[in-house]
Amino acid sequence: MDRAWDELATAEGIARRATWDTTGKILGDDAAVVPDPGAPLTICADALVEGIHFDLRYWTPTQIGSKAVTVNISDLAAMAAQPLWVLSTIAAPKHFDVDRLLEGIEAGAARYGARLIGGDLTRAETVVISVTAIGSQLLPPLRRSGALPDDTVFVTGPLGLASVALERLSGAMIVDERTRLALLDPSARLNEGFAASRAGASAAIDISDGFALDLHRLANASGVGFEISHLPVAEGATRRDALGGGEDYELLFTAPDPSRVAEEFAKLGIKPPLMVGTVLADPEQRALEGEPLDPIGYRH
Amino acid sequence: MDRAWDELATAEGIARRATWDTTGKILGDDAAVVPDPGAPLTICADALVEGIHFDLRYWTPTQIGSKAVTVNISDLAAMAAQPLWVLSTIAAPKHFDVDRLLEGIEAGAARYGARLIGGDLTRAETVVISVTAIGSQLLPPLRRSGALPDDTVFVTGPLGLASVALERLSGAMIVDERTRLALLDPSARLNEGFAASRAGASAAIDISDGFALDLHRLANASGVGFEISHLPVAEGATRRDALGGGEDYELLFTAPDPSRVAEEFAKLGIKPPLMVGTVLADPEQRALEGEPLDPIGYRH
């Protein structure tokens, strides 16, 4: 590890790994200079902390790096923004394999068309990875606050598998590959965000903290209620996993016209989203299959 | 602290504190949307880690927040970029006063004309603050690699006081206010970066890791040597503090025309920089007052 650490022990170390050489890009300086994207910018930052978001017993550094990028790209996806650049600061003990972590960050960024352009590396007793993702807002941004009565509620895929993986891995139980990767290597629903925006979606949020909690957040921001008629539970997961397990990086969105939604998803050749319910005018009405639904979920 | 923690325990918590309401800005969503700045962007990220960069025995959370911003703005200053936006992820134990930290971040950003637009808060055993700063590159960017033979080497102020403060505070010794604040509340040399760029500076770097180390970095990037005829030691500091103490957020820059430099600094009403030496064509020649100068400094 010493070699990797020494090579990477300055901000330049991270910047030097950035392979992008488009005109205007400056590497190895105090900061990176990138060309004017010519559109509004969409920007978010999220950190992953050892012992809170990941456990080094069953995560590889590469997976941690890739996921640190994915959780941020998922936020851009929920806005329908095109990822451009990623920066990362890394705090880690000397024995930690920073080189693999950076490979994961680079691979994670490349997967969504973005590039690592800078960052910082420093020592710490536990691993803390912070990623900032910057995107270009070419499509109308999806907000949390736009849901209107009678809109249909969509979710981009079945939920709960990441939660099953977390329970099983932390209990040292056997877990199949598909379930394990739902937690360790999720995908951000970038194309789904684009399709939702093109389909005139009225609001969106990523379901990283749990379906119930994030649905309530969207409803709070929009001042509406909802009736969920169908909870999309992943095969192998329980209703509780799907409702409040968290770590599912699917998108939840609302849209007035389901046929336009089907059309735009088909155009991008991606799986159609699941229709799970309806937006209600009364913000007090928040139900799942006729029963009141509490905002259970994962608060770090 | 519980109240503060609960209020701030989501990314929305940080975003909600951002007071900016310029059209186009979206708060409390998965990501912030800001208007196209219409110029190249300059971006950097740096983290401050408890026990490495600060000690909670003599730092207030407000000072930590402000300094986390300043160290990033200093990198933008070294590029002659205008700060626009700041994001911060915060990992901290539950008892830590995150509210004061955020006040420090906001105040630090406001000091340089930037705004906090997003971030993330999570628990961790030690405090790790990561800040990303995004600026607009309206002036020609200052790189590390542009220094040319016969350029004059400038430093924006005397060095070593932060190092004195660190030694005294960590030894529980008495330290006067001016010395203490050199470490706890440094200023980024933003106007100095602008003036250097306007004066046709050929290269620049911020001296955060120590004069000697950062001077070598600039010389390495430019493929040149140097002869330093005058080491600018702050009153109360030793030559060793000034050479390799680190944490001095002054700028070091090179420029071909000292009279243009004097003129541009005067126009902005800021103290003229100190002429400390000359750039040499031979990259092997690296001397301080006739003696070889090693790249001593602070590597985190």
Side-chain angles (χ1 to χ4, degrees), chain A residues 5 38 75 157 160 162 169 196 198 202 205 207 216 226 235 239 246 258 265 270:
Chain A
W5 189 272
D75 284 326
L169 287 168
R198 286 176 193 278
S202 49
I205 190 167
I207 322 182
H216 273 273
F226 52 77
E235 201 190 319
R239 284 174 62 85
F265 275 67
I270 50 180

Side-chain angles (χ1 to χ4, degrees), chain A residues 5 9-12 25-49 52-53 74-76 78-79 85 87-91 117-126 128 130-132 134 137 141-145 204-206 209 217 299-300, chain B residues 5 9-12 25-49 52-53 74-76 78-79 85 87-91 117-126 128 130-132 134 137 141-145 204-206 209 217 299-300:
Chain A
W5 189 272
T10 64
E12 297 126 275
K25 178 70 182 63
I26 294 179
L27 296 173
D29 268 285
D30 288 279
V33 181
V34 292
D36 176 14
L41 299 168
T42 305
I43 315 174
C44 60
D46 261 316
L48 298 190
V49 177
I52 304 280
H53 301 93
S74 181
D75 284 326
L76 295 189
M79 305 293 287
W85 308 297
L87 292 93
S88 180
T89 68
I90 301 163
I117 59 165
D120 179 40
L121 178 61
T122 193
R123 291 195 193 164
E125 293 192 9
T126 51
V128 178
S130 175
V131 169
T132 296
I134 302 171
Q137 194 68 51
L142 299 171
R143 304 194 54 178
R144 294 181 179 181
S145 55
I205 190 167
D206 88 329
D209 292 331
R217 283 178 177 155
R299 298 174 195 259
H300 294 296
Chain B
W5 190 272
T10 64
E12 298 125 275
K25 179 70 184 61
I26 294 179
L27 296 173
D29 267 286
D30 288 279
V33 180
V34 292
D36 176 15
L41 298 168
T42 304
I43 316 175
C44 60
D46 261 316
L48 298 191
V49 177
I52 304 281
H53 302 93
S74 180
D75 283 327
L76 295 190
M79 305 293 286
W85 307 298
L87 292 94
S88 180
T89 68
I90 300 162
I117 59 165
D120 179 39
L121 176 63
T122 192
R123 291 195 192 165
E125 294 192 9
T126 50
V128 178
S130 175
V131 169
T132 296
I134 302 172
Q137 194 69 51
L142 299 171
R143 304 196 52 180
R144 293 181 179 183
S145 55
I205 190 167
D206 88 327
D209 293 331
R217 283 178 177 154
R299 298 175 195 259
H300 293 297

Side-chain angles (χ1 to χ4, degrees), chain A residues 26 34 41 53 81 88 103 128 137-138 150 159 162 169 188 192 199 213 220 243-244 269 278 284 295:
Chain A
I26 294 179
V34 292
L41 299 168
H53 301 93
S88 180
E103 280 177 18
V128 178
Q137 194 68 51
L138 298 166
D150 300 326
L159 305 172
L169 287 168
E192 287 79 355
L213 178 57
N220 291 345
L243 264 183
T278 307
E284 303 291 314

